[in-house]
Amino acid sequence: METTGLAEELFEELGGKIEDGFPAIHSPVYRTAAGTPYLRAPGVVMISRPQVGLGGLSGFLEGFDPGLRFPEYLEDPVRLPGSSQLCKTAGQTCYMSFGPRRTRNADAAGYFERLISAGHGSVLEHASFGFLLYGVSRSVTHELVRHRAGTAFSQVSQRYVSGSVLRFVERPEYQDDGELHRLFEERIDRAAAEYGELADRLLRLQEAGDERLAADRATDARKKVQQAARSLLPNETEAPLVFTANVRALRHIIEMRADAHAESEIRGLALRLFLCLRRADPILFGDYRVLRLPDGTFTVTTEHRKA
């Protein structure tokens, strides 16, 4: 069932904080007895959000009949999050709704409720948010990057980075079961050790002149070793990325990936994305509800899907 204020409570419970005006939910790093690092939950760090300045509209608004009183649009005393203001201005431009009969900023929530319920989600594409995501496995990122419309991804390259940054992600199902947790730690210790051994062997072959590993530049030489060694890494390997998407795409991702039937690991990521977005703009994401499921996990839902 829904709990009043559950989104706000969860943000705090998961360690959410506002850093320089940007929401973030960090994830601690654990280590096996052998020292192999791993994480147990996604880390979500908002690193970009819209910055909007409407002052430049004055020259445009003043060019119409003074009787329309369009310049009053810039005198609204209620300040909105930049993302809401940008989308609202875009929507009101469609109907030249700048005069006294316009929807004021104080009623922005109702304005977007009407737009979203009618399926007019195109204005939401103007506002984008960017995130650094970590504590996410290669398995999860394979699912996430399938969302292409309105999104951008820059993901760690296992061909270029060395084993010194190798970390892993423990699935939720393993964390409270002693035997599954033990097997997970053994598996990642083995994967890290085998990766190191394989990379060392390939490097020796390269230094001995193996033509298959030959390269003119140091960067390419490193890439050839690591692209061969990475083949043994499991889907549990961490795959950090920078992820940017517009609000319409983010809403779709939340609706798909925070659904009760979504895969558990990516549902945890989508929940944290939503909690940060709700903090950044409670208007554009104000129609969502967080529900607690019988197994103690959470889902995010709205009556206005696919706006």
Side-chain angles (χ1 to χ4, degrees), residues 54 67-81 84-89 91-92 96-115 283:
L54 300 184
L68 295 173
R69 297 164 57 186
F70 279 2
E72 293 180 12
Y73 187 77
L74 303 180
E75 300 171 5
D76 197 310
V78 175
R79 295 182 62 85
L80 299 176
S84 290
Q85 186 66 74
L86 177 57
C87 294
K88 182 170 178 285
T89 300
Q92 291 180 309
M96 295 298 288
S97 182
F98 300 116
R101 297 179 62 185
R102 71 188 183 276
T103 300
R104 308 300 174 101
N105 284 355
D107 299 318
Y111 175 81
F112 285 110
E113 171 77 15
R114 292 188 293 275
L115 276 182
I283 296 173

Side-chain angles (χ1 to χ4, degrees), residues 8-171:
E8 290 72 19
E9 293 174 14
L10 269 178
F11 183 81
E12 301 294 339
E13 182 181 320
L14 294 173
K17 58 181 67 176
I18 306 298
E19 301 175 324
D20 295 329
F22 290 77
I25 300 176
H26 286 289
S27 181
V29 179
Y30 301 86
R31 292 183 181 274
T32 67
T36 305
Y38 66 94
L39 299 93
R40 309 183 82 182
V44 174
V45 183
M46 185 179 290
I47 57 177
S48 68
R49 59 190 296 183
Q51 180 179 1
V52 177
L54 300 184
L57 294 180
S58 59
F60 167 67
L61 298 173
E62 290 167 0
F64 292 90
D65 186 327
L68 295 173
R69 297 164 57 186
F70 279 2
E72 293 180 12
Y73 187 77
L74 303 180
E75 300 171 5
D76 197 310
V78 175
R79 295 182 62 85
L80 299 176
S83 42
S84 290
Q85 186 66 74
L86 177 57
C87 294
K88 182 170 178 285
T89 300
Q92 291 180 309
T93 299
C94 293
Y95 299 98
M96 295 298 288
S97 182
F98 300 116
R101 297 179 62 185
R102 71 188 183 276
T103 300
R104 308 300 174 101
N105 284 355
D107 299 318
Y111 175 81
F112 285 110
E113 171 77 15
R114 292 188 293 275
L115 276 182
I116 291 169
S117 64
H120 297 323
S122 61
V123 297
L124 303 179
E125 296 176 12
H126 292 285
S128 294
F129 291 86
F131 300 88
L132 171 70
L133 307 181
Y134 68 98
V136 288
S137 70
R138 181 68 68 171
S139 176
V140 160
T141 62
H142 276 323
E143 293 283 332
L144 185 62
V145 299
R146 293 171 63 191
H147 296 279
R148 294 305 304 153
T151 63
F153 301 94
S154 296
Q155 188 172 13
V156 66
S157 171
Q158 290 179 341
R159 300 176 71 198
Y160 282 91
V161 300
S162 71
S164 64
V165 298
L166 197 61
R167 304 194 302 189
F168 299 88
V169 179
E170 183 177 20
R171 288 190 59 83

